[in-house]
Amino acid sequence: MTKAFLFGAIIMPILMMALFIVVVPLMMESNKTPLRGTIAVVAPDDVIAELEHQLGQSKGIGDEIIEQLPVLLQADPIATAMLASDSITEVELVSATFDEIDDIKQQVRLKELAGLIVVPEKLVETWDTEERFELFIPTSFSPNHTDLLKSATSKSIVDARLRRLGHVPTDIRDLLRRPRARASRLTEDGKEAIDNEVARRIIPLAFMMLLWIATFTSGNYLLTTTIEEKGNKVMEVLLSAISPLQLLGGKILGQAGVSAVILGMYGSAAIAGLIAFALFDLIPIFHLVLFAIYFVMAYFMIATIMAAVGSAVTELRDAQSLMGPIMLLMIVPLAIWPILAEHPNGAIATVTSVIPPLIPFVMIIRITSSTEPVMMWEIILSIVIGFASVIAMVWMCARIFRIGVLMLGKPPNLLELIRWVKQG
Amino acid sequence: MSNAIELCGVSKSFGDTLAVSNLDLQIPHGSLCGFLGPNGAGKSTTIRMIMSIIYGNSGTVRVFGTTALAAKDRIGYLPEERGVYRKMKVGAFIEYIARLKGMRGSMLRKKVKDWLEKIELPDIHNKRCEELSKGMQQKVQFLAAIIHDPELIILDEPFTGLDPVNAKVIGKIIDELHQDGRTILFSTHVLPQAEQICDRIVMIDRGLKVLDGSISDIKRQFDPRVIQVEPVDPTNDFSNLDGIASVDEMDRDGCVNLRLEDDADATDILRKITEQTPVRGIQIVRPTLDEIFIEQVARNRGTEAASAAREELTHA
């Protein structure tokens, strides 16, 4: 067990989990640090009154953003969980005049005052002006608190304008609030499911990418270690102790264990993240079970191909030419995932679900996208075809491996590989 | 004595190239057998077939009455192509190979350390393999081949790349293992080396076995064809004697080698020489393995090939 493995497979995910469970809540907690102190305000009286009211309400900047978000995102628990915060202010506002501005600035510099807000009368009279309100704060002032003051002042000016015209600002704001929609999907079994647009788009991609990265990282490791063992001539020493098939089996199973640990650790980090944001119910347990099944399928497909390619060449750059067609095929799920997620039972999805190396990647997108449920018989068929092709691929790759591991010199082309399969 | 290795009618070709042709071979238990031949003779291919790393096109290979696959834990093998895991520590590498060969237990680490001391590399247990010189790596690999106390040890060119001091260390261990009753087969293209330590040799050339037997039997098979004379009179002409095919130039010690005709009787000519001229010394020279090998090549492939083989052995 190397230090790199310990770091990559165990320490990194633990750090990620710590980030989700400890650091993120702490960061959110830091938003709650109250704004304390006395702030001088040079502004019309009605603006000061509105500002006192605004700061008294003590709404956080996160709530401001949420209010301004499109309705779609307001309904999304991920966005609201990320942004929600409730800053508290314990601020005393003191009215001042324009003549006192220079003295007050000095007091702000010396931190005797928490800040100074200057609002020109013209800014309240009309929106049609180049004038701006000004905020003077000490160098150590928190960015969150700066945003809070800016936002509260801006809002107070608007509210003061409304009151001068005889309106009640809260009424106007309520009237302008755009109505929200709740989309429910009516399933064929008579149930209604609340739609979650963000999750619907992100989760299938996340599952497929996790599968893709986990299998290709392991496959790539098998490719490079096999080439290395051939290159540094340790292969023959190994083959004097075990048969090529035992070697291939050992490498694949060993790496499977490593991948399972890595996937388990990163998966736990992801689940910790979901739990931290109270979103775990977005992923049914059944999907996790299917993910495990498709992971095993994808891993054995990719790992055997990579090990066979590694055994057939003596240098990594020779492997690139053999890997070209395979990679071209494996890019397909990455390219078509939006189509699959949008139409999980469409023609493209159905066809790609029976092409062996694509099966696990395509199926995991189809299953986790909540647009339409995939029929159970399709899931079972994909698992049967997938594992049957795993057996065929392991058989073929083992034959290539047996001949390839002791071959040196010019790398074989595709026709020669087929000949090896027949010979092996 | 039963055989540790038995090959019967084994042939192996790679494409159009015949690497080993209809080879019969028996290596008795407890023997120290040299497997000789020039580069490309088919030695490594034969050894790989014995080890079940590759398979012949025809014939049978039996090791301990079964296949090498079934008896792998009883065999130690040093391949011609040397290799280590460069980033692995020496001790861990040897222990890993030992475990692959079925060794278990807490004593393994101590055993590795003891052996490292024995091959005069006591301080490298915790060094990475890539930090070692080529010669040190070769000794480490030799150790990996024998660490699990195998009954049969197959060494492909074990001395290649070693300086004389290290070659002596490995040679001594090979001899000790032989004394201990292990069967040892080692290949080399350096014939005098094999002549020194082997009790038996098998010689192949272009995939064909040309010699097989104990060194004394083989030498006995080949009549001496050279008489070395140190004449009192250096100008004496020996070429006029019957049965002398050619006379070499006198060497710095004043000795002349007389090469005999094929049907000549060495003892008879010896007598005639002493009658013709007084000599300070005279002896029948037994053929070396090099000479026997060249003669065999000449028989198989003609004199031109024999000259090429002589050239190859000179540069080996």
Side-chain angles (χ1 to χ4, degrees), chain A residues 85-105:
Chain A
S85 63
D86 49 345
S87 296
I88 302 158
T89 51
E90 294 168 13
V91 178
E92 189 192 343
L93 298 180
V94 280
S95 176
T97 62
F98 279 94
D99 303 337
E100 295 169 317
I101 285 177
D102 288 339
D103 288 343
I104 295 170
K105 278 184 185 173

Side-chain angles (χ1 to χ4, degrees), chain A residues 90-358:
Chain A
E90 294 168 13
V91 178
E92 189 192 343
L93 298 180
V94 280
S95 176
T97 62
F98 279 94
D99 303 337
E100 295 169 317
I101 285 177
D102 288 339
D103 288 343
I104 295 170
K105 278 184 185 173
Q106 192 55 32
Q107 283 176 288
V108 172
R109 277 196 193 94
L110 297 170
K111 294 181 184 163
E112 290 167 5
L113 287 174
L116 165 66
I117 298 166
V118 180
V119 182
E121 169 67 30
K122 197 175 181 192
L123 207 55
V124 190
E125 286 169 2
T126 175
W127 58 269
D128 189 16
T129 174
E130 289 298 307
E131 294 254 17
R132 292 181 174 212
F133 70 87
E134 288 180 285
L135 187 62
F136 300 96
I137 45 173
T139 48
S140 57
F141 206 70
S142 138
N144 279 338
H145 293 158
T146 311
D147 287 340
L148 179 72
L149 286 186
K150 277 186 196 168
S151 157
T153 311
S154 171
K155 217 172 198 177
S156 303
I157 295 167
V158 173
D159 286 1
R161 283 178 193 158
L162 289 170
R163 281 194 199 279
R164 284 185 188 186
L165 294 172
H167 301 296
V168 179
T170 47
D171 291 350
I172 299 291
R173 205 169 295 122
D174 288 345
L175 286 170
L176 287 173
R177 201 179 286 275
R178 286 160 63 186
R180 294 178 183 184
R182 188 175 69 187
S184 295
R185 291 183 181 272
L186 301 175
T187 57
E188 282 161 11
D189 54 3
K191 290 180 186 165
E192 288 183 24
I194 301 292
D195 192 26
N196 187 319
E197 203 72 22
V198 175
R200 193 165 71 83
R201 284 179 196 282
I202 300 294
I203 286 176
L205 178 67
F207 265 101
M208 195 270 286
M209 286 306 293
L210 197 60
L211 195 63
W212 210 88
I213 291 168
T215 49
F216 272 86
T217 313
S218 310
N220 201 42
Y221 186 80
L222 277 174
L223 175 82
T224 49
T225 53
T226 310
I227 294 173
E228 191 192 339
E229 279 162 354
K230 270 189 83 173
N232 66 17
K233 318 287 184 204
V234 86
M235 190 60 88
E236 207 169 333
V237 178
L238 298 178
L239 291 181
S240 72
I242 47 174
S243 71
L245 280 186
Q246 284 174 315
L247 180 61
L248 178 66
K251 283 173 92 69
I252 289 175
L253 289 177
Q255 189 59 36
V258 173
S259 299
V261 170
I262 293 174
L263 199 62
M265 295 302 285
Y266 279 94
S268 306
I271 289 170
L274 290 175
I275 292 170
F277 292 120
L279 296 171
F280 188 57
D281 56 341
L282 283 176
I283 301 170
I285 296 293
F286 179 57
H287 286 182
L288 290 179
V289 173
L290 285 177
F291 179 77
I293 293 171
Y294 286 117
F295 166 71
V296 172
M297 186 192 294
Y299 172 79
F300 277 96
M301 283 177 179
I302 304 302
T304 46
I305 291 174
M306 298 287 233
V309 169
S311 74
V313 299
T314 37
E315 283 183 50
L316 195 56
R317 66 166 177 265
D318 295 333
Q320 307 302 338
S321 58
L322 284 176
M323 286 301 295
I326 298 163
M327 288 310 291
L328 210 61
L329 189 63
M330 297 319 299
I331 292 293
V332 171
L334 290 179
I336 63 170
W337 81 267
I339 304 170
L340 298 176
E342 199 59 39
H343 305 289
N345 289 326
I348 293 174
T350 313
V351 170
T352 48
S353 294
V354 288
I355 300 173
L358 303 181

